[in-house]
């Protein structure tokens, strides 16, 4: 995007776009902050309003369901012990005490129905899950029975302590939707089951009770401990509903949560009712909030577009006073590029940046004309220097041609040792005075070192021995010239005379490590003292200008030439111990001529 706006564009376009972008960034930041603050304020307002409504609904619904459990637990009161005995042991209809039991049941049913007038049937089951007694508001409801077709049968007759279960289903006998509330009665101290009580309410009466306290378009969802929905206002927003799971132990205080969905188009409030046996979810559609957010966003976008239009128009007017001098400067530069170095500009009388730029352009063309004349004279002097260098090249060629002539004369008289010495020395000169580039191969470097060592062996005879074991695959590996010979020469100079009369053995080998080639030169000399070795290593790591002077040929010269050509990871590494000899590792990139392996 940035390149599309600014690269390969005229300065006029760049000024307009720059002004627009610079103005756009703070506008976007301020607009974002305003939008976020506004929407957050609207969200907080909706949450406060919804919390008030939710508190009222939670209290009303909790009281409604607690009435069922409270009605069931009233049998623990005085006067209803016969009902508990009925659940536990059954009734003996041959005993006159059954009349007192009947009076207790009538009183209990009256008490429950007066508290909740929506109950149409009450069923009392004993300890053995057999029906002991029932009450119906009308004779038609007497046909209601619990059986295999009833949801959660028979587990609703054996609910855990303080657990209750509610569900809705279609009763085929009376062809009506019913709501059932079941609770198991236990001995509160020994947790011994007495029996189960089941209350029935018509589903439409439950809906009427709930919708009396609901406010459209809010959606109320009621779930039992199994996460099953037994009441829902309508089928909208099902995706925002989470299954309810009863906690292991009811919370000490009602647990309530209220949060927005991911898109913040719906506010979801959840709570646990009736000792956490019922999950209540209230869905508050945030349509008004969404509309307010959209209106705010439209206002912000409109304001940004208006401001950007004003900025672009103003920038276009301003750039006309800037780009015209730059266009004149561009035309003059094209003329210079075409070879007209006499092109000049007439700067304005006032001293602004563009006028100063025109003056500098005129000064530049004047200097270019002077430099062209100077360059012409320099080229003439370079021609003279090239002729002199050509003359100097005759001397090295004459030298190794003469050595070959001497070697030929030595062969004629039968002295082949002189011939080999002259050949080796001539090859060294030819390699040293090679007029091509500085590139070579490890194989050519080894040949050059071999010639040097051959001459040195004629001088020192048996005091010097060489062992070269470089794999053939490294012979064609690329390397710069004069890397090995200075190191070998350094070994002979510093180690041969101090080797205590023992023959000096110089070994050479090579191996590959990752993408690098490592050449190892080692000797059995006296080694290097620790303090001197530390000084040598420190000297290798310090930059030096000697490599450009052409006089240093030591280890530092080789190390810095390798780093100059191949980079920092490459160069020399020295290891040595007094009396144990010295090992020098030369690390270079593993490349072959005509084939790159890095």
């Amino acid at each position: 995007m940035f390149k599309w706006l600014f690269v390969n564009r005229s300065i006029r376009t760049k000024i307009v776009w720059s002004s627009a972008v610079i103005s756009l960034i703070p506008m976007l930041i301020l607009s974002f902050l305003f939008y976020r603050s506004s929407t957050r304020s609207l969200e907080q307002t909706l949450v406060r309003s919804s919390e008030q409504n939710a508190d009222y609904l939670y209290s009303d619904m909790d009281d409604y369901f607690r009435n069922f459990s409270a009605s069931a637990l009233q049998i623990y009161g005085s006067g209803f012990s016969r009902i508990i005995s009925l659940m536990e042991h059954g009734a003996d209809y041959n005993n006159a005490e059954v009349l007192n039991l009947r009076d207790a049941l009538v009183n209990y049913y009256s008490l429950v129905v007066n508290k909740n007038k929506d109950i149409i049937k009450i069923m009392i089951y004993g300890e053995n899950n057999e029906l002991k007694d029932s009450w119906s508001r009308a004779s038609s409801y007497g046909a209601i029975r619990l059986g295999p077709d009833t949801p959660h049968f028979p587990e609703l007759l054996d609910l855990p302590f303080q657990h209750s279960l509610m569900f809705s289903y279609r009763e085929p006998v009376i062809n009506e939707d019913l709501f059932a509330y079941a609770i198991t009665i236990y001995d509160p101290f020994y947790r011994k089951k007495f029996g189960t009580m089941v209350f029935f309410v018509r589903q439409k009466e439950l809906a009427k009770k709930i919708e009396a306290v609901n406010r459209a378009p809010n959606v109320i969802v009621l779930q039992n401990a199994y996460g099953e929905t037994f009441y829902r206002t309508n089928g909208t927003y099902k995706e925002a509903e989470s299954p309810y799971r009863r906690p292991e132990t009811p919370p000490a205080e009602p647990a309530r949560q209220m949060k927005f969905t991911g898109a913040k188009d719906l506010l979801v409030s959840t709570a646990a009712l009736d000792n956490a046996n019922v999950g209540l979810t209230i869905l508050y559609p945030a349509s008004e909030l969404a509309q307010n957010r959209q209106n705010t966003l439209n206002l912000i976008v409109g304001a940004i577009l208006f401001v950007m239009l004003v900025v672009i128009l103003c920038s276009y007017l301003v750039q006309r006073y800037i780009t015209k001098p730059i266009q004149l400067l561009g035309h003059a530069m094209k003329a210079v590029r075409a070879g007209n170095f006499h092109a000049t500009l007439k700067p304005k009388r006032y001293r602004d940046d563009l006028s100063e730029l025109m003056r500098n352009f005129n000064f530049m063309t004047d200097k270019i004309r002077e430099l062209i004349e100077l360059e012409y004279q320099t080229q003439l002097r370079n021609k003279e220097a090239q002729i002199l260098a050509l003359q100097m090249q005759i001397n090295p060629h004459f030298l190794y041609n003469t050595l070959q002539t001497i070697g030929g004369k030595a062969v004629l008289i039968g002295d082949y040792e002189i011939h080999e010495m002259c050949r080796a020395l001539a090859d060294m000169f030819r390699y040293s005075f090679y007029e091509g580039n500085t590139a070579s191969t490890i194989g050519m470097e080894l040949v050059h070192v071999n010639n040097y060592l051959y001459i040195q062996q004629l001088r020192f005879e048996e005091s010097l021995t060489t062992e070269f074991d470089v794999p053939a695959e490294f012979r064609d590996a690329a390397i710069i010239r004069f890397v090995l010979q200075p190191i070998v020469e350094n070994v002979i100079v510093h180690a041969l005379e101090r080797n205590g009369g023992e023959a000096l053995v110089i070994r050479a080998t090579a191996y590959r490590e990752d993408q690098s080639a490592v050449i190892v030169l080692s000797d059995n000399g006296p080694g290097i003292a620790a303090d001197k070795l530390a000084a040598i290593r420190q000297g290798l790591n310090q930059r030096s200008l000697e490599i450009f002077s052409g006089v240093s040929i030591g280890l530092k010269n080789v190390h810095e030439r390798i780093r100059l050509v191949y980079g920092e990871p490459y160069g020399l590494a020295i290891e040595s111990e007094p009396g144990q000899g010295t090992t020098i590792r030369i690390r270079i990139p593993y490349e072959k001529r005509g084939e790159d392996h890095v």
Side-chain angles (χ1 to χ4, degrees):
M1 182 64 178
F2 179 83
K3 291 184 177 179
W4 183 83
L5 290 176
F6 293 101
V7 177
N8 297 329
R9 301 287 181 179
S10 65
I11 192 169
R12 174 185 301 176
T13 304
K14 290 179 180 178
I15 291 174
V16 173
W17 277 119
S18 298
S19 302
V21 171
I22 292 172
S23 302
L24 180 63
I25 292 174
M27 280 289 296
L28 289 176
I29 294 174
L30 292 175
S31 300
F32 172 76
L33 294 176
F34 172 75
Y35 176 78
R36 187 172 181 180
S37 175
S38 177
T39 54
R40 183 172 294 178
S41 177
L42 293 172
E43 290 171 4
Q44 291 175 350
T45 301
L46 177 62
V47 168
R48 285 195 297 268
S49 174
S50 301
E51 282 180 343
Q52 293 176 357
N53 176 259
D55 288 341
Y56 176 72
L57 279 172
Y58 292 155
S59 178
D60 190 79
M61 290 292 97
D62 197 33
D63 290 343
Y64 180 76
F65 290 110
R66 282 180 182 272
N67 277 338
F68 290 103
S69 59
S71 297
L73 298 178
Q74 281 182 343
I75 62 172
Y76 291 116
S78 59
F80 300 125
S81 58
R82 293 182 178 87
I83 300 178
I84 294 178
S85 178
L86 171 67
M87 292 180 179
E88 191 174 7
H89 306 292
D92 184 4
Y93 291 96
N94 296 321
N95 192 330
E97 185 65 22
V98 74
L99 298 176
N100 296 328
L101 173 62
R102 178 54 54 192
D103 291 338
L105 288 170
V106 170
N107 293 334
Y108 175 73
Y109 293 144
S110 299
L111 182 64
V112 172
V113 172
N114 289 332
K115 183 176 290 189
N116 194 331
K117 294 181 170 49
D118 294 334
I119 294 177
I120 61 172
K121 187 176 182 66
I122 303 173
M123 302 179 72
I124 300 176
Y125 284 82
E127 181 182 6
N128 56 0
N129 293 337
E130 292 182 358
L131 181 63
K132 299 300 183 180
D133 196 76
S134 65
W135 171 88
S136 300
R137 183 177 294 275
S139 59
S140 59
Y141 299 136
I144 298 174
R145 291 287 185 272
L146 294 180
D149 295 333
T150 307
H152 300 289
F153 184 86
E155 65 261 29
L156 65 87
L157 300 177
D158 291 298
L159 296 174
F161 180 69
Q162 290 187 340
H163 281 233
S164 58
L165 177 64
M166 56 291 302
F167 56 90
S168 57
Y169 73 105
R170 183 78 175 179
E171 177 58 60
V173 177
I174 61 175
N175 195 25
E176 192 171 354
D177 293 326
L178 299 180
F179 164 71
Y181 184 101
I183 181 170
T184 303
I185 307 300
Y186 284 87
D187 185 323
F189 299 103
Y190 300 102
R191 305 286 177 89
K192 178 177 178 290
K193 176 185 171 184
F194 291 146
T196 302
M197 304 193 71
V198 184
F199 303 93
F200 293 88
V201 177
R202 290 190 298 176
Q203 185 74 5
K204 61 181 180 180
E205 297 297 333
L206 175 64
K208 187 185 301 183
K209 171 67 178 178
I210 295 173
E211 294 305 322
V213 293
N214 188 26
R215 184 175 58 187
N218 302 339
V219 178
I220 295 179
V221 181
L222 292 171
Q223 297 175 321
N224 59 23
Y226 292 94
E228 299 172 347
T229 300
F230 61 87
Y231 177 81
R232 185 182 184 91
T233 302
N234 54 58
T236 57
Y237 310 114
K238 282 189 175 182
E239 68 282 355
E241 179 184 337
S242 300
Y244 174 72
R245 289 292 179 266
R246 188 186 190 279
E248 292 295 329
T249 57
E253 296 182 358
R256 302 179 185 178
Q257 291 183 349
M258 182 171 290
K259 61 180 180 180
F260 282 98
T261 56
K264 291 195 174 182
D265 57 351
L266 195 67
L267 183 61
V268 181
S269 176
T270 58
L273 308 180
D274 189 28
N275 290 316
N277 289 304
V278 181
L280 170 62
T281 301
I282 309 175
L283 306 174
Y284 296 93
S287 55
E288 184 178 351
L289 175 62
Q291 184 62 43
N292 288 333
R293 282 202 300 260
Q294 187 62 44
N295 293 339
T296 304
L297 184 61
N298 293 339
L299 179 64
I300 291 174
V301 171
I304 291 176
L305 293 177
F306 175 75
V307 172
M308 293 305 299
L309 180 62
V310 172
V311 170
I312 291 174
L313 289 176
C314 294
S315 301
Y316 179 77
L317 295 176
V318 170
Q319 58 81 27
R320 295 184 61 185
Y321 296 96
I322 299 176
T323 57
K324 187 174 181 180
I326 295 178
Q327 289 174 348
L328 294 175
L329 182 61
H331 293 318
M333 287 183 175
K334 288 182 181 179
V336 171
R337 186 173 61 183
N340 180 14
F341 295 101
H342 295 278
T344 57
L345 294 171
K346 184 179 180 180
K348 302 293 183 180
R349 61 180 182 273
Y350 40 82
R351 304 184 66 85
D352 60 350
D353 293 339
L354 293 176
S355 299
E356 194 65 28
L357 187 62
M358 291 180 177
R359 294 186 182 91
N360 290 335
F361 176 80
N362 294 335
F363 176 78
M364 179 190 69
T365 53
D366 292 340
K367 295 298 291 185
I368 289 176
R369 288 195 298 271
E370 295 177 5
L371 291 174
I372 289 175
E373 296 176 0
L374 181 62
E375 178 67 16
Y376 179 73
Q377 297 175 3
T378 303
Q379 289 181 358
L380 291 178
R381 289 194 292 272
N382 287 341
K383 288 295 182 182
E384 297 175 357
Q386 289 175 3
I387 294 173
L388 179 61
L390 185 61
Q391 293 173 349
M392 294 177 65
Q393 288 178 357
I394 296 174
N395 294 331
H397 289 287
F398 175 78
L399 180 60
Y400 53 71
N401 287 337
T402 302
L403 288 171
Q404 288 180 339
T405 302
I406 294 172
K409 291 290 184 180
V411 171
L412 292 177
I413 64 175
D415 195 337
Y416 292 97
E417 190 172 78
I418 294 176
H419 170 263
E420 286 300 314
M421 182 180 292
C422 290
R423 179 201 58 76
L425 186 58
D427 288 344
M428 287 184 62
F429 280 132
R430 187 176 290 108
Y431 186 81
S432 301
F433 296 122
Y434 176 70
E435 296 176 4
N437 55 34
T438 61
S440 183
T441 63
I442 294 178
M444 295 172 64
E445 276 288 280
L446 290 173
V447 170
H448 180 65
V449 170
N450 235 358
N451 290 327
Y452 171 77
L453 288 173
Y454 176 79
I455 295 173
Q456 294 295 343
Q457 284 175 327
L458 289 174
R459 175 186 174 188
F460 297 106
E461 298 181 348
E462 296 180 358
S463 297
L464 180 63
T465 306
T466 60
E467 297 178 3
F468 284 8
D469 185 20
V470 178
E473 63 178 2
F474 291 94
R475 299 299 175 91
D476 291 332
I479 192 173
I480 59 176
R481 288 173 177 268
F482 306 114
V483 171
L484 301 182
Q485 187 264 335
I487 299 175
V488 173
E489 182 179 355
N490 191 72
V491 173
I492 294 175
V493 170
H494 294 284
L496 187 61
E497 296 180 356
R498 296 186 299 158
N499 208 28
E502 184 181 355
L504 179 66
V505 180
I506 300 177
R507 301 179 180 86
T509 184
Y511 63 92
R512 185 171 177 179
E513 187 177 277
D514 295 331
Q515 301 299 327
S516 300
V518 181
I519 307 169
V520 182
L521 293 175
S522 60
D523 62 77
N524 63 340
I528 305 174
D531 55 345
K532 188 174 181 180
L533 179 62
I536 293 174
R537 289 174 174 171
Q538 184 178 4
L540 290 179
N541 292 327
Q542 292 178 348
R543 285 288 187 181
S544 173
L545 297 178
E546 289 181 352
I547 58 171
F548 302 109
S549 64
V551 296
S552 175
I553 58 172
L555 298 180
K556 185 173 180 61
N557 174 274
V558 174
H559 179 69
E560 293 198 10
R561 286 177 57 231
I562 292 175
R563 293 175 67 181
L564 182 65
V565 174
Y566 298 121
E568 294 291 335
Y570 303 100
L572 304 186
I574 305 175
E575 298 175 0
S576 181
E577 292 185 10
Q580 300 296 323
T582 302
T583 300
I584 299 177
R585 287 181 170 81
I586 308 165
R587 183 182 296 274
I588 59 173
Y590 185 76
E591 300 176 355
K592 288 190 175 182
R593 282 194 169 183
E595 183 179 2
D596 190 356
H597 289 261
V598 177

